[in-house]
Every structure is written in structure tokens, then in C-alpha cells.
Amino acid sequence: MATATQQRGTQARRAHASRPGGGALPVDTVARAALAAIAFGALIVIGIWWKNTLGIVGTDQWLTNAGRITGLLAGYAAPVLLLLMARIPLLEREIGSDRLARWHAMGGRYMVGLVTAHVLSVIWGYSMTDHINVVGEGVTMVLTFPDMVKAAIGTVLLFATGIFSARAARRKLSYDTWYYLHLATYLAIALGFEHQLTNGADLGSGIGRLFWYALYVGTAGVLGWFRLLRPYLQDRRHQLRVAEVRPEGAGTVSLFLTGRYLDELGAEAGQFFRLQFLAPGLRFAANPYSLSAPPTAEYLRFTIKDLGGHSAAVAHLKPGTKVRAEGPYGAFTARRRRSRQVLLLAAGVGITPLRALFETLPARPGELTLLYRASREEDVLFHRELVAIAQSRGARLQFLVGPRSEVGDPLEPSTLNRLVPGLARHDVFLCGPDPMMESAVAALTAAGVPRRNIHHESFSF
């Protein structure tokens, strides 16, 4: 355990960073800068096309040029999508993993649309120029143009990844299965890169080609560092191991990890790590788990519910098992706070990150409220801990356990306003199953809470 002096010093630093003017960047500054950088890059791509387009005459040229510009934009989108998921600490901390994942998913849909438009318009335009049918032109292009076979394979892989990433398909796949299928994107982008340079007349041999190489090589370097080398070095530095697996309730355990120099990780309450356990059946998967207690220099605690597969196996880990941990990640921290008064709204195992925030969020007595919804008493986690924290901090704590007809529905605006006076003046941090969070956001908005004051993070990406 860390000494009382160390813990007080750590908590004071985190409290300072969480208060207005305490050192954190203004909310959404990094998000706006990232979107501006992406838009600026797209303008550069359009400029490259414009510079190499002298004139467009006839339907075939209009189609061909539509294919050129959509192809360039699709080629630009590919590394941008990879950078969004490169686990760059600044983006993870200030924007949040789930928000980055939503941008990635939306950008992926745009990219698939751009590739589709590129393929169809180029083949159609060339077929009109050569006066042959579209199918024949497509076959000729794939079989005779340089690097087109690779590009065709890459396109098929991209479309397949897009299908598996669709929400309906995603719900039917486990996290691990979806993750490994999604790796096909890297191969698809690699196969398409040579095609872009070989057949992309707009890139030429000047500034356009230089920009393209810088974009792709730079992205490869960022991915190599943040996804491979940095986690390896972090693993060597901290040497995390399982210290204890403690039962918490029905199908739920708390996992305590110990290691070296844990204070150097810079973790905050509300954040998560991707944990890879070097044990049979688990060593090739890294799943996200939230901290369920404020991190200390001695240990990290994660509370994990048996949801099948990876999470179920955690309960059987032995002390001493080596753990590789990527992180900390996530923007679900006190940095998001805008108001003095804060409501924490939890359902089920969603209490995990909120329990850590309940202990650490800077607040005067009466400013902090936790509502915890559970169907049964046995589903309530950390009951004694939460009561002790509430008493020591002068915070409000209310358990909503049982049928909604008896305890009230916290997803109804009228119930929320009754349970939390002055709700509209609160920041709200919420965590629970995705359907619950969607309903809660709608209820909170209807109850008068500004959307910018509602904070949540989801691992369903």
C-alpha cells in the first residue's frame, strides 16, 4: 500500500487537475483541433486533384474524374482511420476511446462509400472512353493494370470488414472475433497502397507523392510506436502481475494487479486499461476493463463481471500470473466536469468506474450524488465501500434496488428530477449497459440537463 502522505499528495494533484483552471485543457479543444486537422488534410487532397485537372469535357471524363477524386479521398481516409485507433494518449485522454471509435466507425462508412463510388465511376468512365461494356472494362482493368489484382483483393477485404462491422453483425460477434476480423483492414490498406502510387496519376512524382508517402509512412510509425513498441516497453518497465482475485458478488470478481512504478502510469479514476493475461487461452486477447478504485503506487484494481469468454476466465487466474496492460485510456474522468454539482448514475456492473470517481471527484458536502440501480440485492457491488465513502465525504447515495414499480424508474425525467433536486445544474457521469445509457441520455436531456454536461463511455466498439 502507498503511505497516507503519498496518497494525499496524489489525490491533491488529481483534484487540482480536475478543477476549473487546474491544468486540464478546455473541454473539446483537442477534439476540435483533430477534426480541423482532418478537414485540412482533405482540402490538401482536393488541391492535389485540382492541380492535376486541366479540364473536363464529356460524360466519360466527368465519370473518370469523379473516380479520381473519390479514390484520392478514400486513400486519404485509410490512414486517418488508423490514426484514430492508434491509441495516442493525448487523443485517448482528451477525446475518449468511445468517441474516437464512433468517429472511426463513421469514417469507415464514408470510406466504403468513397471506394464504391471510385470503383464504379472509374470503370464506367473508362468503358465509355473505350466503347466496351462495363463488365468487360472491369475485367480488363483488374487483369492488365499494374497492381490492380492487389487492389481488387484489398477492396474485397475492405467490404468484408465493413459488413462485419455493421451494427447488426457486430452484435452477434464476440469482442475477440470482431477484433481479429477487423485486422483485415490493415492488409486491405497495404494492398491498396501500391495501386494508389502506380495508377494514381494525380500523385505524380512531386509534392503529391511526397505528401502520400509522409502520410502513410508516418501513420505506420505512429502505429508501430503506440500499438507495439510502447506497450512492450511499458510491460518491461512495470512488470504487472496478478496479486489477488477477490469475489465481489454473483459472477463478479475484483482483480488486484501489482507491479513496479505504478504511479508513473498516470492513471486516473474513471479510466480503463486493455489487459492481456499470460495464461492459457487468454494470452492472445486484450480486453478493456475499468479501474474500480483510485490507482495507487502499490496496486490497480479492476472489477470484472462474468459476461462469457475472456471475462469468465479472469475469475480463475492464479496469483503471480503475468499481465500486459495497455493504458491508461479514456476521457471518462473528472476532466470532463463543468459544474460544481455532480450526479453519478450507475446500473449493474456499470458502477465499476463510478465507484472510483465517487471516491475522488473533488466536491464539497452535498455537491456529489450517486444513484445506483440494480434489479436484485445480490447484484449490488461495493455496498459497504459506497456507504463508507458517502459518509466520509458528505455525499448523497441512493440504492434503487428492485422492480421499477416500487423504487421508481431512474430513466424517467420526472423520477430523476424528484431524486436529484436541481438536476439541470448538474454534470452527469453515467455507466451501464448500452441500452440503459441511450435511454438515460434521452431522459436526462428531457429533464433539462445540457447534452454537453452528460458524460459516458462505452466499450461496445
Side-chain angles (χ1 to χ4, degrees):
M1 292 290 179
T3 67
T5 301
Q6 287 175 321
Q7 291 182 2
R8 283 196 296 270
T10 301
Q11 291 171 358
R13 288 192 297 273
R14 287 174 182 146
H16 176 68
S18 304
R19 294 189 184 107
L25 291 170
V27 175
D28 280 348
T29 297
V30 174
R32 294 191 185 102
L35 291 174
I38 293 171
F40 182 69
L43 290 176
I44 292 176
V45 171
I46 294 172
I48 292 172
W49 168 79
W50 183 264
K51 178 177 178 294
N52 291 280
T53 303
L54 300 178
I56 303 175
V57 179
T59 304
D60 58 339
Q61 289 191 23
W62 277 104
L63 288 168
T64 302
N65 274 278
R68 286 169 54 202
I69 186 61
T70 52
L72 284 171
L73 288 171
Y76 168 71
V80 169
L81 293 179
L82 296 182
L83 287 172
L84 289 176
M85 302 307 291
R87 299 175 188 167
I88 300 170
L90 177 65
L91 302 186
E92 294 279 342
R93 184 179 66 250
E94 298 295 336
I95 299 176
S97 296
D98 65 332
R99 194 174 180 190
L100 290 169
R102 289 196 295 271
W103 290 2
H104 175 84
M106 181 177 66
R109 290 190 287 272
Y110 280 125
M111 182 179 170
V112 170
L114 287 167
V115 171
T116 302
H118 166 69
V119 171
L120 294 178
S121 56
V122 164
I123 293 176
W124 193 2
Y126 272 56
S127 70
M128 293 184 68
T129 301
D130 296 337
H131 303 291
I132 63 175
N133 65 71
V134 172
V135 175
E137 184 66 46
V139 172
T140 299
M141 292 177 69
V142 170
L143 297 180
T144 61
F145 281 35
D147 295 313
M148 276 298 296
V149 172
K150 295 179 184 178
I153 296 173
T155 300
V156 171
L157 287 174
L158 180 67
F159 287 154
T161 303
I163 292 171
F164 284 119
S165 297
R167 182 171 297 182
R170 175 72 181 88
R171 289 193 183 117
K172 298 179 181 179
L173 298 174
S174 69
Y175 178 88
D176 295 343
T177 301
W178 171 84
Y179 175 80
Y180 288 117
L181 289 172
H182 211 67
L183 293 180
T185 305
Y186 292 95
L187 179 58
I189 292 172
L191 289 170
F193 179 63
E194 289 186 43
H195 155 69
Q196 296 167 37
L197 295 176
T198 303
N199 302 118
D202 294 290
L203 299 180
S205 58
I207 190 68
R209 182 172 289 259
L210 181 63
F211 172 77
W212 223 247
Y213 267 114
L215 181 62
Y216 274 79
V217 173
T219 298
V222 169
L223 287 169
W225 172 253
F226 288 113
R227 297 295 295 268
L228 298 175
L229 186 56
R230 187 171 180 267
Y232 170 77
L233 294 175
Q234 181 172 288
D235 176 49
R236 298 276 293 181
R237 174 69 172 167
H238 299 293
Q239 298 183 17
L240 292 175
R241 296 174 182 273
V242 174
E244 180 186 356
V245 179
R246 181 184 301 171
E248 294 285 0
T252 305
V253 298
S254 279
L255 179 71
F256 292 81
L257 302 184
T258 188
R260 305 190 307 168
Y261 318 117
L262 298 188
D263 53 327
E264 294 180 4
L265 289 168
E268 299 178 54
Q271 292 189 306
F272 69 93
F273 286 75
R274 287 184 171 89
L275 302 181
Q276 180 181 3
F277 304 101
L278 302 189
L282 295 176
R283 63 178 64 246
F284 298 111
N287 283 21
Y289 295 113
S290 294
L291 291 163
S292 61
T296 73
E298 298 297 328
Y299 72 92
L300 304 174
R301 185 177 94 170
F302 304 87
T303 300
I304 301 167
K305 185 176 179 62
D306 177 0
L307 298 175
H310 195 277
S311 57
V314 172
H316 305 290
L317 290 173
K318 303 298 183 184
T321 301
K322 293 182 179 180
V323 184
R324 290 176 180 161
E326 292 183 46
Y329 297 128
F332 191 65
T333 69
R335 296 171 183 268
R336 301 291 92 189
R337 180 180 181 178
R338 295 171 181 267
S339 306
R340 296 301 312 181
Q341 294 178 295
V342 179
L343 167 65
L344 307 179
L345 180 57
V349 77
I351 188 61
T352 301
L354 296 183
R355 180 254 176 262
L357 285 170
F358 193 46
E359 183 175 348
T360 58
L361 265 170
R364 294 192 294 260
E367 291 182 337
L368 182 61
T369 301
L370 170 61
L371 299 182
Y372 185 3
R373 167 72 181 139
S375 299
R376 304 171 302 170
E377 287 287 350
E378 52 265 39
D379 293 330
V380 175
L381 301 175
F382 316 126
H383 190 286
R384 291 183 180 178
E385 295 180 29
L386 294 172
V387 170
I389 292 170
Q391 291 175 346
S392 67
R393 305 199 64 194
R396 294 182 61 231
L397 169 64
Q398 185 161 356
F399 296 97
L400 303 173
V401 182
R404 291 175 181 167
S405 58
E406 296 179 8
V407 301
D409 187 351
L411 303 184
E412 288 290 336
S414 58
T415 304
L416 285 169
N417 276 316
R418 175 175 57 81
L419 293 172
V420 187
L423 175 62
R425 298 189 298 274
H426 284 64
D427 264 277
V428 181
F429 290 78
L430 64 96
C431 190
D434 284 344
M436 169 267 180
M437 289 199 289
E438 292 175 5
S439 298
V441 169
L444 289 164
T445 303
V449 180
R451 182 62 184 82
R452 65 181 180 275
N453 286 14
I454 303 173
H455 317 291
H456 59 90
E457 197 161 57
S458 169
F459 293 151
S460 298
F461 39 78

